[in-house]
Amino acid sequence: MSKFSKGGKKPAPGINTSSLPDIVFMLLFFFMVATTSKESDPTVKVTQPMGTRAQDLTAYKQRSEIDFLYLGTPRNTARAEQFKMGYALFLDNVAQPDPGELYNTNAIKRWKLDKFESKPTQMTATIEQVITCIKADEGAPSGIIFDIRKELQDIDALKIAYAVKDNTNAN
Amino acid sequence: MAKRDIPEINAGSMADIAFLLLIFFLVTTTMDRDKAYIRDIPKNVEVVIPPAPVPERDILAIKANSANQLMVRDELMENPDDISERILEFYRINSELSGDAMMAAMGDPNHPGNNFPFFSRISKAGIESRIQAAIKAAEEVEEQEGAEETLISFMWNEVSQWEKKKFALNLYGKKMLPEISSQAHIRIEVQDRTDYELFAKIQSEIEEAIFEMRDDSAKEIFGLGYASIIAKLADDASNLEYKAKFDLLKLLYPDRIIEVTPKN
């Protein structure tokens, strides 16, 4: 008896939480470094197809040498009939009043040129080198992809990228 | 005056603030990186000079119609996963042929490699004499009265192309530099209604085949995976050693892709 109950109840000692902020900060910094924020939230539905051995675009994004455009059916289904074959374009960071506006392919030239005009001063790339990345829905008709190519060719924006979801096994 | 203790700042809420920030970044983080196939669009030319016809054997046509049916070299293909094998065949079937064996294959319509691109081989001495000839030709153009600026730069570009080949052959370490026919290319022909999914799949298969060939060569020549060469260059594009390796692999297995605009 005497071995276990020594002198009644003692209060449990408080756990020292002073290193908790350090741990949380460490996690915080990890996520801050690993984060690449989304350019914009598209108002078209895009399910990207799968593909292997695609090139990572992170380096181009960091140098802001890439523009994204989304090709899919409008989330607001009532608007679908306004667009060719029901597929609309959503352009990232448009300099127009309504950021959620959807476009046909004929808006691409102005968008590209506007974006190129307002490029960051440290960017040295010419318009030919700025990549235009198409994030298209898997059901999108390829004809529209080629319409986009034609528009880009006309303004000498000669780099195009077809986005996919990469399923390459890491090695 | 008596010394007063400086009151300690209560840091108990620090964790709360940090948590708040942490949760913000947790929510906004998208871990999947953007991946894509980067392609070049040909420059718009005003005067279209009809190009010289390309021999049938140098074309690998991949066609997809509006019903998403697939055709490779005019043969129907059920499973799009098989495209990469046909690309490997296209690049590899004649890669070992040279000299008389190549001539025989070229002349014999029953030879399995007859309808596929052939390879040229050039030695160091051969490249050297080509460089001299190219320099001479470029200088001649330069001396002409009223020679066009574009033509002069084109001629000097020719010289630098041969210089690059010389450099590549040195790195390759063999006697001869094999090169696939300069007109050999992959041609993607889709129609207006072909799904982007299939179009992307074709691109994916091409990339897979090119990767496999370059990877095999990279392991053989440098004992190094192609993936690690690309990764190195992505980190540091000015790394000359890896740039040279990449250029050699690209010379051995060029990715010439033509995307044909669908006719309406």
Side-chain angles (χ1 to χ4, degrees):
Chain A
M1 266 317 230
S2 61
K3 238 183 182 177
F4 294 108
S5 54
K6 265 191 207 155
K9 273 197 173 163
K10 251 201 264 173
I15 295 168
N16 185 359
T17 58
S18 60
S19 58
L20 185 62
D22 299 1
I23 296 166
V24 174
F25 265 119
M26 211 162 67
L27 275 172
L28 173 64
F29 286 136
F30 169 73
F31 277 99
M32 276 175 71
V33 171
T35 295
T36 51
S37 56
K38 244 186 183 178
E39 301 287 303
S40 41
D41 211 7
T43 49
V44 289
K45 267 186 242 164
V46 172
T47 314
Q48 285 183 24
M50 292 295 201
T52 49
R53 303 288 174 206
Q55 210 173 325
D56 193 347
L57 301 176
T58 312
Y60 299 103
K61 277 170 85 176
Q62 283 164 349
R63 294 197 299 260
S64 27
E65 284 174 10
I66 190 159
D67 299 327
F68 288 96
L69 59 84
Y70 299 78
L71 176 64
T73 49
R75 285 195 189 281
N76 179 357
T77 43
R79 300 185 56 189
E81 62 213 37
Q82 284 171 251
F83 301 100
K84 188 184 173 188
M85 301 191 224
Y87 279 84
L89 280 175
F90 176 86
L91 312 172
D92 76 343
N93 297 336
V94 266
Q96 264 93 38
D98 182 3
E101 191 56 54
L102 298 176
Y103 300 94
N104 268 316
T105 46
N106 55 21
I108 290 173
K109 280 181 199 162
R110 253 206 69 200
W111 168 68
K112 280 291 286 186
L113 293 172
D114 280 355
K115 276 201 89 169
F116 190 69
E117 287 291 302
S118 60
K119 63 174 183 171
T121 42
Q122 73 270 20
M123 193 175 92
T124 51
T126 61
I127 193 156
E128 278 189 35
Q129 290 160 341
V130 179
I131 299 172
T132 312
C133 181
I134 304 177
K135 291 191 175 185
D137 186 72
E138 51 189 15
S142 299
I144 300 185
I145 306 276
F146 280 89
D147 290 347
I148 296 169
R149 272 173 63 104
K150 183 85 198 63
E151 296 286 317
L152 293 174
Q153 192 184 42
D154 286 346
I155 55 164
D156 276 342
L158 298 178
K159 283 230 177 279
I160 195 167
Y162 308 113
V164 289
K165 231 191 171 85
D166 198 290
N167 57 5
T168 312
N169 299 323
N171 54 355
Chain B
M1 199 138 153
K3 238 186 181 178
R4 255 199 284 167
D5 275 342
I6 301 163
E8 254 185 61
I9 297 167
N10 182 7
S13 54
M14 177 101 94
D16 299 1
I17 297 166
F19 261 124
L20 204 76
L21 279 169
L22 174 63
I23 288 163
F24 169 75
F25 278 100
L26 263 173
V27 170
T28 54
T29 298
T30 47
M31 283 300 223
D32 52 329
R33 288 158 169 242
D34 280 313
K35 298 271 194 130
Y37 303 114
I38 299 176
R39 298 279 177 265
D40 290 319
I41 304 174
K43 209 173 165 66
N44 220 353
V45 280
E46 267 151 41
V47 190
V48 181
I49 308 153
V54 178
E56 196 68 24
R57 62 160 64 103
D58 283 346
I59 305 172
L60 175 72
I62 303 170
K63 297 176 188 171
N65 69 5
S66 287
N68 294 321
Q69 287 166 315
L70 200 61
M71 211 179 213
V72 177
R73 290 202 126 193
D74 294 328
E75 265 173 58
L76 270 174
M77 187 176 272
E78 291 293 325
N79 184 0
D81 290 329
D82 297 338
I83 301 173
S84 64
E85 278 147 41
R86 300 298 303 273
I87 297 169
L88 291 177
E89 179 191 34
F90 180 77
Y91 275 90
R92 279 177 167 166
I93 193 162
N94 289 334
S95 64
E96 300 301 325
L97 288 183
S98 63
D100 291 341
M102 187 173 91
M103 283 310 182
M106 253 185 209
D108 176 11
N110 293 321
H111 188 279
N114 179 267
N115 200 23
F116 288 94
F118 287 97
F119 285 70
S120 64
R121 284 178 162 70
I122 190 159
S123 64
K124 269 178 204 171
I127 295 179
E128 203 62 60
S129 68
R130 292 297 190 94
I131 292 176
Q132 295 310 327
I135 291 177
K136 207 171 156 224
E139 278 169 352
E140 267 171 25
V141 171
E142 229 170 13
E143 277 162 25
Q144 274 170 23
E145 291 269 328
E148 271 183 68
E149 210 49 54
T150 46
L151 183 66
I152 293 171
S153 67
F154 174 81
M155 298 300 281
W156 283 110
N157 187 34
E158 202 81 338
V159 176
S160 73
Q161 291 295 328
W162 284 107
E163 295 278 4
K164 270 185 194 157
K165 282 182 192 173
K166 184 180 157 191
F167 189 69
L169 179 54
N170 277 334
L171 187 65
Y172 193 36
K174 294 192 182 169
K175 275 198 181 129
M176 297 282 196
L177 182 71
E179 268 187 285
I180 196 165
S181 159
S182 63
Q183 285 177 314
H185 67 269
I186 299 167
R187 177 184 288 257
I188 304 173
E189 293 177 38
V190 294
Q191 291 184 345
D192 256 347
R193 282 280 182 177
T194 308
D195 281 352
Y196 176 68
E197 188 181 12
L198 185 58
F199 180 71
K201 179 70 189 169
I202 294 171
Q203 302 277 5
S204 163
E205 288 291 310
I206 293 172
E207 215 66 26
E208 196 185 329
I210 300 268
F211 184 93
E212 194 182 325
M213 292 184 294
R214 289 186 182 170
D215 193 44
D216 285 353
S217 266
K219 280 181 182 142
E220 190 193 315
I221 305 168
F222 315 118
L224 192 72
Y226 181 54
S228 56
I229 296 177
I230 314 175
K232 195 88 171 185
L233 281 176
D235 279 350
D236 173 17
S238 56
N239 187 326
L240 290 179
E241 188 196 339
Y242 280 81
K243 184 82 175 64
K245 286 178 178 167
F246 177 78
D247 285 346
L248 171 60
L249 293 170
K250 199 176 159 129
L251 202 62
L252 294 174
Y253 300 105
D255 48 347
R256 282 188 286 262
I257 300 163
I258 295 180
E259 295 154 295
V260 184
T261 309
K263 290 186 196 80
N264 292 315

